Amino acid sequence: MTISDKPEQIRNIAICAHIDHGKTTFSDNLLSGAGMMSEELAGKARQLDFHADEAERGITIDSAAVSMVHTLKQKDYLVNLIDTPGHVDFGGDVTRAMRAVDGCIVLVCAVEGIMPQTETVLRQALRERVKPILFINKVDRLIKELQLTPQAMQERFIKIITNVNKKIQQLAEEEYGKKWQPSVQDGSVCFGSAFHNWALSIDYMQEKGITFQEIIDAYQGEDGAYKALAKKAPIHEVVLNAVIKHLPNPVVASAYRIPKIWHGDVESPFGKSLLAADKTGPIGFVVTKIAIDPQAGEISAGRLFSGTMKKGATLYLNRAGVENRVQQVFVYNGAKREIVDNVPAGNIIGVAGLRNAYPGESCTTGQQTPFEAITHIFDPVITKAIEAKRPQDLPKLVEVLIQVTKEDPGVQIEINQETGEHLMSGMGELHLEIIENRIKTEKGVEVITSPPVVVFRETVTGKTAEAQEGKSPNKHNRLYFTAEPITAQMRDAIKAGKVPSGRVKKKDSDLWAALVEAGMDAKEARSVRDIFNGNVLIDDTRGIVHIGEIQELVNDMFEDVMMKGPIANEPCFGVVVRLLDAKLHEDAIHRGPAQMYPAVRDGIRSAMAVAKPLIYEPVQTIMFDAPEEYVGEISKLISNKRGQLLDMQAEGAMQQITARIPVAEMFGMSNDLRSATGGRGSSSVIDQAFERLPDELQDKIIGQIRTRKGL
């Protein structure tokens, strides 16, 4: 508690890596080193995997926060650490953890080297301006299994470090790409074995006089000789020393992170307080995770960027638009929560009482510009219908589903009050399976689910020849729309986050500049009214008196049609809708929502219907890893699933095969892969995009979706 008041002695960090490279084992060691758990259990207890299903499957599903104290040169430091999942289905959790921290430790396995998921987590970190350092894990396997000489080991390390630095250079913004390269010389690269609790870095070796040869001897000596290494070079000491030396404290980090993640006025009192991480300023708190605790109810964990969080404070939730009172404030002590009176800026804390908060919410003193929304690299592509087994559980199921979206915003839930059917969309089969399992075991609701279906996307490929009319039921208002596809340059700019999404307020010169940079005409950029899910609404009308009064209604229905397109009620992407002309009734009473909504909806739908609409399907780029003799089997598997082979590379005795496969064909793929490779193959997702569904399948699939939805 004493240190939490001295921001220059705080470090907020996350651990991120590819699945099974040893993150949770590694965090255990750091905890035991700080005296938070026994040394014997470290690396086996997996203290941060709280849920039963995490222990069963041996993977991390939820990110978990812990705090510990580390002493370096007689000075105490507070390290707030978040352990994140590595499996691609839970990538959203990594993105949210990155918002809360200023630095991260990237773990790479010495045997496997840099993997697709390592690249994804690096991209997520650098996007939030989080500074990386590197830890090369599982070095014991290089000695015991591969029996490398010290020379060969160093070559292996250099190769990994060069690869990581190349990726940082590619993914980071220019000024950080060069500045943030981890290097062996200054000790920002460590290596060791989390399982055997030892680690080394160059400066530690010089300080304590340890050589490479000693490590190799320890593994070649009698059994258990390596245990002495854990006493000589304990992992927590080496790694936390590197964290304190090379990762920034909250005051330093806020100065360059805030302009990237908060787009308000930096000259305002709130802006100045954020930049300085000022504990006397107004409160600025971002929720990054919500945990449901049986005793304390909903706990919103997140990062306090400004002000001092006190029990009883009233906070305004900028996205929900309501005020909530803080009932309790927690800090993390190891993996346990402790109730405290107040905590100053720069810390990772838990707050109870924010009933209306969702992850990504900005909670401030009074209304302020919210922080940038936390965007995920991938969209949910698989949907299941879910219903309660017993009718009397219906009200409880609705409650539970709302809780689920709070705990994991990567899940999208659509609740249909009329039919009692609820749709649950997620990143992949495993993702939905785990959520379904948790609803049954932890929330105690018995549910039945339908077989999973794929979420398609609708778009247009041509331009509407003549404007299509939408008229209001009372025939007094007529609106004219056209639709056309978005340019490739603009689509990339929106996907990369250069063009922010959302409704356009009065004057937004930053947005106009971004649109012009993405290839839009300067005059046209000023008539953009709404950017929603990669679709754009442009107002091309001239001199219409009451247009301002109906603008919000037009935006509402534009978003509604983009959520449910004209072909089969699937979401749309890459559509530019233009409002060309409007004939409006003089009297405001005749152009309320009941009149305008149908007019706008029909107009946009018929404009899209004559602009050659098509269906696109989600396609994932996947990397397979398997021994050479199974390459034939894997390529057979890929062609059976309408996939295309992109690339093959040999990594030692293993082959890495990259392919693109439609998500619709991927159900049960993990089982097929296991049987094709005798259990020795693995796969991971690298990227996801939407591609045009082949023409011969268009009508068939559209027919199936329409039948399923009863259209």
Side-chain angles (χ1 to χ4, degrees), residues 624 630 634 637 668-683:
F624 296 97
Y630 296 112
I634 289 186
L637 180 76
M669 190 177 79
S670 47
N671 293 340
D672 299 348
L673 179 66
R674 249 178 285 177
S675 52
T677 59
R680 293 176 65 192
S682 65
S683 68

PDB file of all heavy atoms in Angstrom, residues 624 630 634 637 668-683:
ATOM      1  N   PHE A 624      -0.369 -25.096 -40.026  1.00  0.00           N
ATOM      2  CA  PHE A 624      -0.293 -26.459 -39.476  1.00  0.00           C
ATOM      3  C   PHE A 624       1.167 -26.781 -39.178  1.00  0.00           C
ATOM      4  O   PHE A 624       2.049 -26.419 -39.950  1.00  0.00           O
ATOM      5  CB  PHE A 624      -0.801 -27.486 -40.505  1.00  0.00           C
ATOM      6  CG  PHE A 624      -2.249 -27.337 -40.845  1.00  0.00           C
ATOM      7  CD1 PHE A 624      -2.646 -26.646 -41.982  1.00  0.00           C
ATOM      8  CD2 PHE A 624      -3.222 -27.884 -40.017  1.00  0.00           C
ATOM      9  CE1 PHE A 624      -3.989 -26.500 -42.294  1.00  0.00           C
ATOM     10  CE2 PHE A 624      -4.564 -27.746 -40.324  1.00  0.00           C
ATOM     11  CZ  PHE A 624      -4.951 -27.056 -41.464  1.00  0.00           C
ATOM     12  N   TYR A 630       3.786 -36.505 -42.717  1.00  0.00           N
ATOM     13  CA  TYR A 630       2.333 -36.307 -42.783  1.00  0.00           C
ATOM     14  C   TYR A 630       1.914 -35.200 -43.748  1.00  0.00           C
ATOM     15  O   TYR A 630       0.747 -34.853 -43.811  1.00  0.00           O
ATOM     16  CB  TYR A 630       1.784 -35.993 -41.389  1.00  0.00           C
ATOM     17  CG  TYR A 630       1.964 -37.130 -40.424  1.00  0.00           C
ATOM     18  CD1 TYR A 630       2.836 -37.017 -39.348  1.00  0.00           C
ATOM     19  CD2 TYR A 630       1.266 -38.328 -40.592  1.00  0.00           C
ATOM     20  CE1 TYR A 630       3.009 -38.066 -38.462  1.00  0.00           C
ATOM     21  CE2 TYR A 630       1.442 -39.382 -39.705  1.00  0.00           C
ATOM     22  CZ  TYR A 630       2.314 -39.248 -38.647  1.00  0.00           C
ATOM     23  OH  TYR A 630       2.479 -40.288 -37.774  1.00  0.00           O
ATOM     24  N   ILE A 634      -1.954 -33.900 -44.764  1.00  0.00           N
ATOM     25  CA  ILE A 634      -2.478 -32.565 -44.452  1.00  0.00           C
ATOM     26  C   ILE A 634      -2.961 -31.859 -45.720  1.00  0.00           C
ATOM     27  O   ILE A 634      -4.021 -31.242 -45.729  1.00  0.00           O
ATOM     28  CB  ILE A 634      -1.423 -31.719 -43.708  1.00  0.00           C
ATOM     29  CG1 ILE A 634      -1.261 -32.283 -42.302  1.00  0.00           C
ATOM     30  CG2 ILE A 634      -1.848 -30.262 -43.642  1.00  0.00           C
ATOM     31  CD1 ILE A 634      -0.373 -31.499 -41.398  1.00  0.00           C
ATOM     32  N   LEU A 637      -6.253 -33.118 -46.545  1.00  0.00           N
ATOM     33  CA  LEU A 637      -7.233 -32.558 -45.615  1.00  0.00           C
ATOM     34  C   LEU A 637      -7.644 -31.145 -46.062  1.00  0.00           C
ATOM     35  O   LEU A 637      -8.827 -30.803 -46.079  1.00  0.00           O
ATOM     36  CB  LEU A 637      -6.616 -32.512 -44.206  1.00  0.00           C
ATOM     37  CG  LEU A 637      -7.469 -31.956 -43.076  1.00  0.00           C
ATOM     38  CD1 LEU A 637      -8.498 -32.987 -42.654  1.00  0.00           C
ATOM     39  CD2 LEU A 637      -6.623 -31.587 -41.866  1.00  0.00           C
ATOM     40  N   GLY A 668     -15.114 -29.627 -36.589  1.00  0.00           N
ATOM     41  CA  GLY A 668     -14.514 -30.936 -36.353  1.00  0.00           C
ATOM     42  C   GLY A 668     -13.138 -31.082 -36.965  1.00  0.00           C
ATOM     43  O   GLY A 668     -12.631 -32.188 -37.110  1.00  0.00           O
ATOM     44  N   MET A 669     -12.520 -29.952 -37.345  1.00  0.00           N
ATOM     45  CA  MET A 669     -11.223 -30.074 -37.991  1.00  0.00           C
ATOM     46  C   MET A 669     -10.147 -30.602 -37.044  1.00  0.00           C
ATOM     47  O   MET A 669      -9.262 -31.343 -37.459  1.00  0.00           O
ATOM     48  CB  MET A 669     -10.765 -28.752 -38.584  1.00  0.00           C
ATOM     49  CG  MET A 669      -9.544 -28.960 -39.454  1.00  0.00           C
ATOM     50  SD  MET A 669      -8.966 -27.505 -40.255  1.00  0.00           S
ATOM     51  CE  MET A 669      -8.110 -26.726 -38.924  1.00  0.00           C
ATOM     52  N   SER A 670     -10.212 -30.211 -35.757  1.00  0.00           N
ATOM     53  CA  SER A 670      -9.144 -30.659 -34.849  1.00  0.00           C
ATOM     54  C   SER A 670      -9.123 -32.190 -34.755  1.00  0.00           C
ATOM     55  O   SER A 670      -8.053 -32.790 -34.683  1.00  0.00           O
ATOM     56  CB  SER A 670      -9.298 -30.012 -33.476  1.00  0.00           C
ATOM     57  OG  SER A 670     -10.630 -30.106 -33.055  1.00  0.00           O
ATOM     58  N   ASN A 671     -10.312 -32.813 -34.810  1.00  0.00           N
ATOM     59  CA  ASN A 671     -10.343 -34.288 -34.787  1.00  0.00           C
ATOM     60  C   ASN A 671      -9.770 -34.873 -36.071  1.00  0.00           C
ATOM     61  O   ASN A 671      -9.009 -35.834 -36.046  1.00  0.00           O
ATOM     62  CB  ASN A 671     -11.781 -34.787 -34.603  1.00  0.00           C
ATOM     63  CG  ASN A 671     -12.307 -34.432 -33.227  1.00  0.00           C
ATOM     64  OD1 ASN A 671     -11.513 -34.161 -32.317  1.00  0.00           O
ATOM     65  ND2 ASN A 671     -13.611 -34.398 -33.069  1.00  0.00           N
ATOM     66  N   ASP A 672     -10.154 -34.280 -37.229  1.00  0.00           N
ATOM     67  CA  ASP A 672      -9.634 -34.775 -38.515  1.00  0.00           C
ATOM     68  C   ASP A 672      -8.111 -34.672 -38.549  1.00  0.00           C
ATOM     69  O   ASP A 672      -7.428 -35.557 -39.046  1.00  0.00           O
ATOM     70  CB  ASP A 672     -10.209 -33.960 -39.686  1.00  0.00           C
ATOM     71  CG  ASP A 672     -11.719 -34.068 -39.747  1.00  0.00           C
ATOM     72  OD1 ASP A 672     -12.265 -34.948 -39.039  1.00  0.00           O
ATOM     73  OD2 ASP A 672     -12.358 -33.288 -40.481  1.00  0.00           O
ATOM     74  N   LEU A 673      -7.602 -33.557 -38.007  1.00  0.00           N
ATOM     75  CA  LEU A 673      -6.157 -33.329 -38.033  1.00  0.00           C
ATOM     76  C   LEU A 673      -5.456 -34.369 -37.164  1.00  0.00           C
ATOM     77  O   LEU A 673      -4.436 -34.932 -37.540  1.00  0.00           O
ATOM     78  CB  LEU A 673      -5.845 -31.914 -37.532  1.00  0.00           C
ATOM     79  CG  LEU A 673      -4.369 -31.528 -37.475  1.00  0.00           C
ATOM     80  CD1 LEU A 673      -3.800 -31.465 -38.884  1.00  0.00           C
ATOM     81  CD2 LEU A 673      -4.186 -30.185 -36.799  1.00  0.00           C
ATOM     82  N   ARG A 674      -6.069 -34.645 -35.999  1.00  0.00           N
ATOM     83  CA  ARG A 674      -5.457 -35.631 -35.096  1.00  0.00           C
ATOM     84  C   ARG A 674      -5.385 -37.000 -35.766  1.00  0.00           C
ATOM     85  O   ARG A 674      -4.368 -37.671 -35.730  1.00  0.00           O
ATOM     86  CB  ARG A 674      -6.258 -35.728 -33.788  1.00  0.00           C
ATOM     87  CG  ARG A 674      -5.476 -35.156 -32.609  1.00  0.00           C
ATOM     88  CD  ARG A 674      -6.265 -35.213 -31.343  1.00  0.00           C
ATOM     89  NE  ARG A 674      -7.191 -34.208 -31.486  1.00  0.00           N
ATOM     90  CZ  ARG A 674      -8.198 -33.777 -30.745  1.00  0.00           C
ATOM     91  NH1 ARG A 674      -8.474 -34.243 -29.821  1.00  0.00           N
ATOM     92  NH2 ARG A 674      -8.992 -32.830 -30.939  1.00  0.00           N
ATOM     93  N   SER A 675      -6.488 -37.409 -36.416  1.00  0.00           N
ATOM     94  CA  SER A 675      -6.464 -38.748 -37.004  1.00  0.00           C
ATOM     95  C   SER A 675      -5.551 -38.791 -38.235  1.00  0.00           C
ATOM     96  O   SER A 675      -4.940 -39.818 -38.507  1.00  0.00           O
ATOM     97  CB  SER A 675      -7.878 -39.219 -37.328  1.00  0.00           C
ATOM     98  OG  SER A 675      -8.535 -38.255 -38.082  1.00  0.00           O
ATOM     99  N   ALA A 676      -5.424 -37.657 -38.962  1.00  0.00           N
ATOM    100  CA  ALA A 676      -4.566 -37.661 -40.153  1.00  0.00           C
ATOM    101  C   ALA A 676      -3.088 -37.709 -39.785  1.00  0.00           C
ATOM    102  O   ALA A 676      -2.265 -38.204 -40.543  1.00  0.00           O
ATOM    103  CB  ALA A 676      -4.841 -36.428 -41.009  1.00  0.00           C
ATOM    104  N   THR A 677      -2.733 -37.178 -38.604  1.00  0.00           N
ATOM    105  CA  THR A 677      -1.303 -37.084 -38.266  1.00  0.00           C
ATOM    106  C   THR A 677      -0.943 -37.945 -37.070  1.00  0.00           C
ATOM    107  O   THR A 677       0.099 -37.739 -36.454  1.00  0.00           O
ATOM    108  CB  THR A 677      -0.921 -35.630 -37.931  1.00  0.00           C
ATOM    109  OG1 THR A 677      -1.730 -35.213 -36.825  1.00  0.00           O
ATOM    110  CG2 THR A 677      -1.141 -34.713 -39.087  1.00  0.00           C
ATOM    111  N   GLY A 678      -1.827 -38.886 -36.716  1.00  0.00           N
ATOM    112  CA  GLY A 678      -1.534 -39.735 -35.559  1.00  0.00           C
ATOM    113  C   GLY A 678      -1.315 -38.924 -34.294  1.00  0.00           C
ATOM    114  O   GLY A 678      -0.484 -39.250 -33.454  1.00  0.00           O
ATOM    115  N   GLY A 679      -2.056 -37.801 -34.174  1.00  0.00           N
ATOM    116  CA  GLY A 679      -1.972 -36.994 -32.957  1.00  0.00           C
ATOM    117  C   GLY A 679      -0.750 -36.105 -32.879  1.00  0.00           C
ATOM    118  O   GLY A 679      -0.509 -35.460 -31.868  1.00  0.00           O
ATOM    119  N   ARG A 680       0.050 -36.043 -33.985  1.00  0.00           N
ATOM    120  CA  ARG A 680       1.296 -35.260 -33.881  1.00  0.00           C
ATOM    121  C   ARG A 680       1.215 -33.893 -34.544  1.00  0.00           C
ATOM    122  O   ARG A 680       2.178 -33.145 -34.544  1.00  0.00           O
ATOM    123  CB  ARG A 680       2.459 -36.064 -34.450  1.00  0.00           C
ATOM    124  CG  ARG A 680       2.760 -37.294 -33.579  1.00  0.00           C
ATOM    125  CD  ARG A 680       3.845 -38.146 -34.181  1.00  0.00           C
ATOM    126  NE  ARG A 680       5.133 -37.457 -34.229  1.00  0.00           N
ATOM    127  CZ  ARG A 680       6.167 -37.900 -34.917  1.00  0.00           C
ATOM    128  NH1 ARG A 680       6.064 -39.013 -35.609  1.00  0.00           N
ATOM    129  NH2 ARG A 680       7.298 -37.239 -34.919  1.00  0.00           N
ATOM    130  N   GLY A 681       0.063 -33.581 -35.154  1.00  0.00           N
ATOM    131  CA  GLY A 681      -0.055 -32.284 -35.821  1.00  0.00           C
ATOM    132  C   GLY A 681      -0.762 -31.271 -34.931  1.00  0.00           C
ATOM    133  O   GLY A 681      -1.561 -31.635 -34.084  1.00  0.00           O
ATOM    134  N   SER A 682      -0.444 -29.992 -35.127  1.00  0.00           N
ATOM    135  CA  SER A 682      -1.186 -28.965 -34.391  1.00  0.00           C
ATOM    136  C   SER A 682      -1.493 -27.841 -35.371  1.00  0.00           C
ATOM    137  O   SER A 682      -0.866 -27.741 -36.425  1.00  0.00           O
ATOM    138  CB  SER A 682      -0.340 -28.423 -33.244  1.00  0.00           C
ATOM    139  OG  SER A 682       0.779 -27.758 -33.771  1.00  0.00           O
ATOM    140  N   SER A 683      -2.473 -26.997 -35.023  1.00  0.00           N
ATOM    141  CA  SER A 683      -2.792 -25.911 -35.955  1.00  0.00           C
ATOM    142  C   SER A 683      -3.043 -24.648 -35.164  1.00  0.00           C
ATOM    143  O   SER A 683      -3.447 -24.701 -34.004  1.00  0.00           O
ATOM    144  CB  SER A 683      -4.057 -26.255 -36.748  1.00  0.00           C
ATOM    145  OG  SER A 683      -5.163 -26.249 -35.878  1.00  0.00           O
TER     146      SER A 683
END
